[in-house]
């Protein structure tokens, strides 16, 4: 079965500290993978995407993610967080073949403290 | 303009009463989606329109209706609301399917059923 697991429901980090959000997926093959972010009172926005090639992909606002086929993971990282990074982050999988359904993780709420 | 607009933002409904949620987009996207999001759960796809063709998920087939009178608008209709329908409803749109992962989301409509 296809699924996405985000093991950390909430993460609190200090401003300026590094951040890593974990994402594991279950899929027979190599899926398309994404991170979406939802800032307070806003809709979900695409942060970055992985289709193929270089396993490290860059996104907006200094975020990057690394795809690992051997670990079935797609972890999100940022070297130095800002208070404005406080949001809910969703790891998302899209099957490569057929269908239009995105499979979401349950999300990780990030709180950045001053 | 890359926005998806949803109305109403907040809806209070009585058990057994109908609910109609509206979504619009001006990006000429061929596909529009409705997701249901409950606290601490992943967004769940309810249905989507590809052009004029409606696709409903098997497990929510009988619970939700939808219409798309033109390319820009899409509604989500609940004929008789139950307590279990209380959730955030997210509308999204995309071009050429979701496999590319680039969905544009609205801010959501929060439905509370009493």
């Amino acid at each position: 079965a296809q699924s996405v697991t985000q093991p950390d429901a909430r993460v609190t980090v200090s401003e300026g500290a590094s951040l890593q959000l974990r994402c594991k997926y279950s899929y027979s093959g190599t899926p398309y993978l994404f991170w979406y972010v939802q800032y307070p009172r806003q809709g979900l926005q695409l942060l970055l995407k992985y289709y193929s090639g270089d396993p490290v992909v860059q996104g907006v606002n200094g975020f990057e993610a690394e795809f690992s086929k051997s670990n079935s993971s797609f972890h999100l990282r940022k070297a130095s967080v800002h208070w404005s990074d406080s949001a809910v982050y969703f790891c998302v999988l899209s099957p490569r073949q057929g269908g239009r359904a995105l499979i979401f993780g349950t999300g990780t709420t990030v709180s950045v403290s001053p | 303009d890359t926005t998806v607009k949803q109305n109403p933002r907040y809806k209070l409904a009585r058990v057994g009463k109908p609910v109609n949620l509206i979504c619009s987009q001006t990006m000429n996207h061929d596909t529009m989606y409705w997701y249901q999001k409950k606290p601490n759960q992943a967004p769940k796809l309810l249905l989507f329109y590809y052009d004029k063709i409606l696709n409903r998920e098997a497990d929510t087939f009988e619970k939700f209706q939808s219409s798309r009178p033109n390319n820009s608008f899409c509604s989500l209709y609940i004929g008789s609301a139950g307590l279990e329908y209380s959730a955030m409803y997210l509308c999204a749109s995309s071009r050429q399917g979701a496999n590319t992962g680039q969905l544009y989301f609205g801010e959501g409509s929060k439905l509370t059923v009493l």
Side-chain angles (χ1 to χ4, degrees):
Chain A
Q2 303 162 3
S3 65
V4 175
T5 301
Q6 294 180 249
D8 304 309
R10 291 185 175 275
V11 171
T12 300
V13 293
S14 299
E15 194 165 23
S18 63
L19 174 70
Q20 175 169 289
L21 302 182
R22 295 181 291 167
C23 172
K24 298 273 283 185
Y25 69 87
S26 175
Y27 183 75
S28 57
T30 302
Y32 297 138
L33 292 162
F34 314 89
W35 278 95
Y36 274 80
V37 60
Q38 186 170 26
Y39 298 105
R41 295 172 296 282
Q42 296 185 28
L44 280 85
Q45 304 168 34
L46 183 66
L47 194 59
L48 50 77
K49 57 192 175 188
Y50 172 79
Y51 291 157
S52 64
D54 190 337
V56 179
V57 291
Q58 305 295 323
V60 297
N61 297 332
F63 283 93
E64 67 177 26
E66 183 167 4
F67 167 71
S68 171
K69 186 169 185 177
S70 60
N71 293 325
S72 298
S73 67
F74 190 55
H75 302 328
L76 181 70
R77 302 189 295 247
K78 185 171 184 178
S80 177
V81 296
H82 186 263
W83 64 267
S84 59
D85 294 322
S86 295
V88 183
Y89 293 79
F90 292 92
C91 184
V92 182
L93 175 155
S94 174
R96 282 182 178 258
Q97 295 171 349
R100 295 174 182 269
L102 297 183
I103 300 167
F104 284 78
T106 50
T108 298
T109 299
V110 173
S111 299
V112 179
S113 57
Chain B
D1 184 9
T2 57
T3 57
V4 175
K5 298 190 188 302
Q6 293 187 237
N7 284 293
R9 293 290 310 282
Y10 302 92
K11 174 68 178 178
L12 189 63
R14 296 292 181 187
V15 171
K17 296 298 185 182
V19 174
N20 198 42
L21 306 177
I22 303 295
C23 178
S24 65
Q25 51 90 13
T26 56
M27 296 171 280
N28 199 33
H29 284 168
D30 54 19
T31 308
M32 295 185 74
Y33 311 79
W34 281 100
Y35 284 82
Q36 182 190 63
K37 172 77 172 70
K38 294 186 175 182
N40 303 316
Q41 295 184 21
K44 174 183 168 54
L45 179 67
L46 299 176
L47 54 88
F48 66 89
Y49 263 100
Y50 171 61
D51 195 15
K52 291 179 170 52
I53 301 171
L54 174 61
N55 297 269
R56 287 184 286 180
E57 293 296 289
D59 58 344
T60 57
F61 190 87
E62 296 179 347
K63 295 184 177 181
F64 299 93
Q65 304 289 330
S66 184
S67 66
R68 191 178 186 187
N70 56 54
N71 179 268
S72 300
F73 288 87
C74 188
S75 67
L76 182 70
Y77 181 75
I78 300 167
S80 177
L83 296 176
E84 72 277 15
Y85 287 86
S86 291
M88 181 73 80
Y89 290 87
L90 306 175
C91 177
S93 69
S94 73
R95 180 177 293 117
Q96 296 177 344
N99 282 22
T100 59
Q102 181 69 70
L103 267 63
Y104 295 84
F105 284 84
E107 296 176 359
S109 292
K110 185 174 182 180
L111 172 64
T112 302
V113 182
L114 302 175

